[in-house]
Amino acid sequence: MAPKTIDHAITARSLHGAATDPTHAGVLSFMRRRYSKQLKGADAVVWGIPFDAATSNRPGARFGPQAIRRASAIFDNDPQYPFERDLFADMATIDYGDCLLDYGNHAKTPATIEREAAKILKSGAYLLTLGGDHFVTYPILKAHAALHGPLALVQFDAHQDTWPDEKGRIDHGSFVGRAAREGLIDVERSIQIGIRTHAPEDCGIRIVYGYEVEEMRAEEIAETIVRHVGSHSAYLTFDIDCLDPAYAPGTGTPVAGGPSSAKILSVLRKLGALHIAGSDVVEVAPAYDHADLTAIAGSTIAMYMLGLRAEWLAERRG
């Protein structure tokens, strides 16, 4: 048997390369990346936000980062499919751990998230965030927009999240509307995929409804996204309830009639033409999961996000 290591997340001496921990054992960082608060030298940073106080239905997404990390252990050792490479051979990546939040003072939560996201982005690293409910995307978008200007929002979701709200509210169903009003996103370049509910306004964002996703091929969906966003810098946010509850039951507000994980992963694989400035996976709530179905889907989507980034870096570095 080839030499093995254990607890790579804390014993690794390099930010590059695959780990060799048994998939059933060891410290469970995301894909065994080294836990570190040292941003120097990192090309990509994985960060968790265990927050679900903004949920309108079932709580529990605060446990999402833990569940996604646990499920990601299966990606260890082998070259990652379908990228045919060790994603970390040339992309130095750390798991930054979780954002420390005061569970009894939610008013401070948005600023805390934004401040820490800004710190990570200042290092020049790509930020992949594990939620948490979908509200967390709002302060993350603020940090990205401060660096890149208004971003094209590419949102996989069953909900538009454009419900009106008042200043100071913390709500996972209104963050997109707020981001549009504050100029954090370019609504003319933004697109939502998999929507299966109605909100009072669409904020001028292109919508690909759930029934359209069902009727379109993955290639058509990807082409629609790439054509709509164009060369604009994009932020990719994936609410796990975009998937049908058959593939992702562990979420707070499941909506029947969604796409399969296979179809949406095929769409994600075809988004390499986009300039994705940052990304997140949110709303995994493991208390409602079965056999880790949702956690596995969420971790796979997160891995695809890193895969796209690894290919983008490889292309830039020649």
Side-chain angles (χ1 to χ4, degrees):
M1 188 174 72
K4 291 280 186 177
T5 62
I6 195 68
D7 298 329
H8 184 90
I10 56 175
T11 62
R13 296 183 179 180
S14 172
L15 302 186
H16 293 91
T20 57
D21 295 48
T23 57
H24 58 275
V27 175
L28 293 173
S29 64
F30 186 77
M31 292 182 70
R32 307 288 189 184
R33 294 306 87 203
R34 189 171 78 186
Y35 272 120
S36 178
K37 297 295 186 184
Q38 300 300 317
L39 295 165
K40 185 177 181 180
D43 295 313
V45 172
V46 182
W47 181 43
I49 305 182
F51 177 80
D52 62 7
T55 53
S56 55
N57 195 36
R58 304 186 300 192
R62 67 180 62 186
F63 298 105
Q66 287 182 349
I68 293 171
R69 286 185 175 107
R70 183 179 68 250
S72 76
I74 199 169
F75 299 127
D76 196 13
N77 302 323
D78 299 327
Q80 278 73 51
Y81 172 87
F83 298 96
E84 300 184 271
R85 66 173 71 206
D86 169 7
L87 301 186
F88 311 114
D90 299 302
M91 183 174 68
T93 305
I94 64 171
D95 188 323
Y96 196 72
D98 287 342
C99 185
L100 178 60
L101 300 170
D102 182 352
Y103 71 90
N105 194 343
H106 300 311
K108 290 186 176 181
T109 293
T112 300
I113 295 172
E114 181 183 354
R115 183 168 57 249
E116 195 155 355
K119 176 184 176 181
I120 295 169
L121 294 174
K122 187 178 179 181
S123 74
Y126 178 88
L127 177 57
L128 166 60
T129 303
L130 311 177
D133 68 45
H134 219 159
F135 173 80
V136 305
T137 300
Y138 169 66
I140 296 170
L141 274 173
K142 291 183 74 174
H144 280 81
L147 186 65
H148 300 287
L151 293 153
L153 184 68
V154 179
Q155 177 184 355
F156 289 82
D157 208 321
H159 309 87
Q160 294 173 249
D161 296 333
T162 55
W163 286 86
D165 70 0
E166 58 195 47
K167 187 176 181 180
R169 288 191 76 246
I170 298 179
D171 186 341
H172 71 161
S174 59
F175 84 93
V176 175
R178 190 181 298 183
R181 290 191 298 273
E182 295 181 11
L184 306 180
I185 61 174
D186 183 339
V187 295
E188 293 183 357
R189 292 293 184 181
S190 296
I191 186 168
Q192 298 174 320
I193 303 96
I195 303 300
R196 303 189 296 284
T197 54
H198 293 296
E201 57 181 327
D202 59 23
C203 297
I205 297 170
R206 169 80 160 90
I207 296 175
V208 182
Y209 286 102
Y211 70 88
E212 295 177 282
V213 169
E214 180 65 21
E215 295 167 357
M216 297 168 72
R217 293 180 292 110
E219 186 174 3
E220 293 177 284
I221 299 168
E223 286 177 353
T224 299
I225 296 168
V226 171
R227 185 168 57 249
H228 189 77
V229 173
S231 59
H232 207 83
S233 292
Y235 186 88
L236 176 57
T237 182
F238 199 106
D239 187 324
I240 205 68
D241 70 27
C242 175
L243 302 179
D244 190 88
Y247 305 94
T251 191
T253 315
V255 181
S260 70
S261 53
K263 186 168 191 175
I264 290 301
L265 288 171
S266 184
V267 174
L268 290 173
R269 183 67 186 94
K270 295 173 173 62
L271 298 184
L274 295 181
H275 174 223
I276 303 172
S279 59
D280 64 52
V281 181
V282 298
E283 298 284 359
V284 172
Y288 315 108
D289 209 358
H290 302 283
D292 282 340
L293 286 174
T294 313
I296 290 168
S299 65
T300 306
I301 290 161
M303 183 269 285
Y304 270 53
M305 291 172 172
L306 286 182
L308 291 172
R309 186 64 178 184
E311 290 185 332
W312 184 84
L313 279 177
E315 184 176 335
R316 287 198 68 188
R317 292 169 175 173

